[in-house]
Structures are given as C-alpha cells and as structure tokens.
Amino acid sequence: MIALVEAFLALGSNLGDRIRYMQRAINALRQHDHIRVMALSPLYETEAVGYTEQPDFLNMVAHVQTSLSPQDLLFVCMQIEKENGRTREIKWGPRTLDLDILLYGTQVIQEKNLVIPHPRMCERAFVMIPLCDLAPSLIHPVYKKTIQELTESVRGKEGVVPCTMIQWHDESAPIEN
Ligand SMILES: Nc1ncnc2c1ncn2[C@@H]1O[C@H](COP(=O)(O)OP(=O)(O)OP(=O)(O)O)[C@@H](O)[C@H]1O
Ligand SMILES: Nc1nc2c(c(=O)[nH]1)N=C(CO)CN2
C-alpha cells in the first residue's frame, strides 16, 4: 500500500485573470492521479510583500493528500506554474501563478532546490492566515508551535498587510451527497 502524506500548498497570483489562474491550479491538482485535494482555504486578496511595486495578490492554501515524494510534488507544482505562463524576471515579482510547498507531513527537508517547511512561511500573513483557517492545531515541525500560535504572532506584527477575504465560486468542487 502506498502511504499518503498530508501536505499544504500555498497558491498565489497577481497577474491577468487572477481568479482564473487560481481555479486552473486547483483543477490541475484535482486532476492529478497522485494528489487528492482535501480542503481549500478561503480566497484572500493581499497587498504585495517584499517587492511592493506590483499588483495585489490573490492567495489561498490547499490541503492535499499525496503519494508523491516531496521532489515529485515540487515538480508537479512547477509544471502547473509553467503551464499557466509563469515566468521569473524579478525576485518576488509579479506572477500569473505561484505554488509553494509549505508542509509535507512532519518532514524537515533541506535540499538544494527544496526546503520544507517553506522557510519564509511564518513571516507571511498571506500564508499563515489561510493556513490557520485549515489547520490551526497543526504543529510546525521546526518551531514546535501550533499554526494558530504562529499566526497570532504574525497578525500582531507591526506593518503586516491585511488579508481581505473575497467571494468566489469553486467551479470544480466535487458535488457533496
Ligand atoms: N518549499 C518550496 N516550495 C516551492 N519551491 C521551493 C521550495 N523550497 C525551495 N524551492 C525552490 O524555490 C525556487 C524559486 O521558487 P519561486 O521563484 O517560486 O520563488 P518565489 O515564490 O518567488 O519566492 P519564495 O520562495 O520566497 O516564495 C524554486 O525553483 C524551487 O526549487
Ligand atoms: N501578498 C503577497 N506578496 C507576495 C507573494 C504572495 O503570494 N502574496 N509572493 C511572493 C513571492 O513568493 C512575494 N510577495
């Protein structure tokens, strides 16, 4: 039997038809044979952090189960970005679609092209707020604190940009019986 790992992915878009890009990412994850989308956070609109001269982002977090290895999951994320016109010109610059692996079970990974937990997740309200919507009591495998505790400290920080929840309709959501 193949072991399924619980993973959390951060999705972001700030170019073009942002909702469409987010939906395309979710659809691609749902269509993958080795990924099961378990839950999606609300969708948030957030001001750009880091490189600020760019449009506002849409951000969300997806909880998935997967039988893929961390490297294979990264490959799939990068493939979905590529299929959706992602280019890399400016560090932390605008993008049609960004998919980052935040957590992969309780594993701590330090490889040249892959660091998990995502090294900047805990300083980013646009990641922690939607992650906390899905998994407040999850323990961060490095800081050994709950996502709720880590989110409260980022929320309380001065200068943290607000995350505004926005309405959308998930076109590919499975129909509940
Ligand atoms: N946990 C991770 N999830 C996704 N990519 C990662 C991760 N750890 C390392 N990387 C590497 O980061 C590289 C750069 O990714 P990308 O250009 O999307 O960064 P970014 O989203 O602009 O910045 P940030 O990593 O700060 O969110 C990728 O090529 C990938 O190999
Ligand atoms: N609000 C917001 N700001 C960002 C984002 C993002 O997804 N949302 N991603 C970045 C690079 O990963 C840099 N800055």
Side-chain angles (χ1 to χ4, degrees):
M1 209 172 68
I2 300 168
L4 289 177
V5 175
E6 310 284 331
F8 290 85
L9 307 177
L11 280 61
S13 170
N14 77 334
L15 278 185
D17 189 340
R18 300 171 304 168
I19 289 198
R20 185 166 157 266
Y21 283 119
M22 299 294 271
Q23 182 77 64
R24 285 172 63 95
I26 294 158
N27 296 354
L29 292 169
R30 283 208 178 103
Q31 280 159 16
H32 197 285
D33 287 345
H34 299 282
I35 295 173
R36 188 186 298 166
V37 176
M38 304 302 292
L40 298 173
S41 74
L43 183 64
Y44 289 94
E45 187 162 48
T46 65
E47 281 172 32
V49 171
Y51 176 75
T52 54
E53 297 297 302
Q54 56 177 324
D56 289 351
F57 277 80
L58 292 184
N59 286 110
M60 108 177 347
V61 168
H63 170 200
V64 302
Q65 282 183 343
T66 186
S67 53
L68 298 173
S69 68
Q71 285 289 351
D72 287 345
L73 184 58
L74 176 66
F75 181 83
V76 169
C77 289
M78 294 181 77
Q79 198 66 30
I80 296 172
E81 291 177 348
K82 222 194 274 173
E83 285 164 7
N84 285 283
R86 169 76 190 271
T87 56
R88 287 180 170 78
E89 280 111 33
I90 304 169
K91 187 182 179 198
W92 294 336
R95 70 271 319 265
T96 51
L97 197 54
D98 187 27
L99 274 90
D100 290 336
I101 305 174
L102 303 174
L103 298 164
Y104 181 92
T106 55
Q107 290 195 35
V108 177
I109 299 167
Q110 292 272 1
E111 291 169 10
K112 213 167 133 206
N113 67 335
L114 183 60
V115 180
I116 297 175
H118 190 286
R120 287 165 287 285
M121 64 180 268
C122 293
E123 68 206 42
R124 293 176 164 173
F126 65 81
V127 168
M128 295 308 286
I129 289 172
L131 178 60
C132 192
D133 290 331
L134 293 178
S137 47
L138 200 73
I139 308 285
H140 187 288
V142 172
Y143 298 128
K144 311 285 185 207
K145 288 186 176 176
T146 64
I147 296 302
Q148 172 101 56
E149 288 172 295
L150 293 165
T151 305
E152 289 317 320
S153 44
V154 83
R155 264 193 239 267
K157 253 193 212 156
E158 223 177 294
V160 164
V161 297
C163 286
T164 311
M165 209 185 279
I166 67 165
Q167 290 301 319
W168 76 296
H169 171 68
D170 177 4
E171 285 168 7
S172 68
I175 297 155
E176 305 274 343
N177 289 317

